[in-house]
Amino acid sequence: LTQKIPSGTRPVLRAFEKYSAHPLALGLSEFASVDAAGRMAEPRFPWAVHLAPAATLPPLPPKADAGAFVDALCTIPAGTVLYDVYAAASPESVSGADATVERIG
């Protein structure tokens, strides 16, 4: 729900803002147009999704390589919730004093 980008890329973002009010948005409607069985479905989707880490991995040693990261992932027990998932219904739902973001998973 934010536009956290390096300051050096802000001029590029400003150029995209000429064409879209939400230049960093990725469409979710395509993901929602197919059901779990692969059949076409009537899309029902949020305007934005936010993933908040819910689990903490064990600390990696300094200068650890990619293999150490994968090894750390393998220590997480099956069924562990890794992220809390939040959704916003529309751009209007996250603007103003009464912003609404709902936890959906």
Side-chain angles (χ1 to χ4, degrees), residues 10-95:
R10 293 212 182 270
V12 174
L13 179 63
R14 298 296 172 248
F16 282 103
E17 286 176 339
K18 293 178 184 176
Y19 306 99
S20 172
H22 309 285
L24 298 180
L26 299 174
L28 298 174
S29 61
E30 290 293 320
F31 291 108
S33 64
V34 178
D35 67 15
R39 296 180 299 260
M40 295 303 292
E42 182 64 33
R44 183 170 177 256
F45 56 93
W47 173 74
V49 173
H50 174 78
L51 303 176
T56 304
L57 288 175
L60 296 175
K63 298 185 182 179
D65 63 8
F69 176 71
V70 172
D71 291 342
L73 289 177
C74 291
T75 67
I76 300 171
T80 299
V81 174
L82 299 178
Y83 293 96
D84 291 324
V85 183
Y86 296 86
S90 67
E92 294 77 25
S93 68
V94 293
S95 62

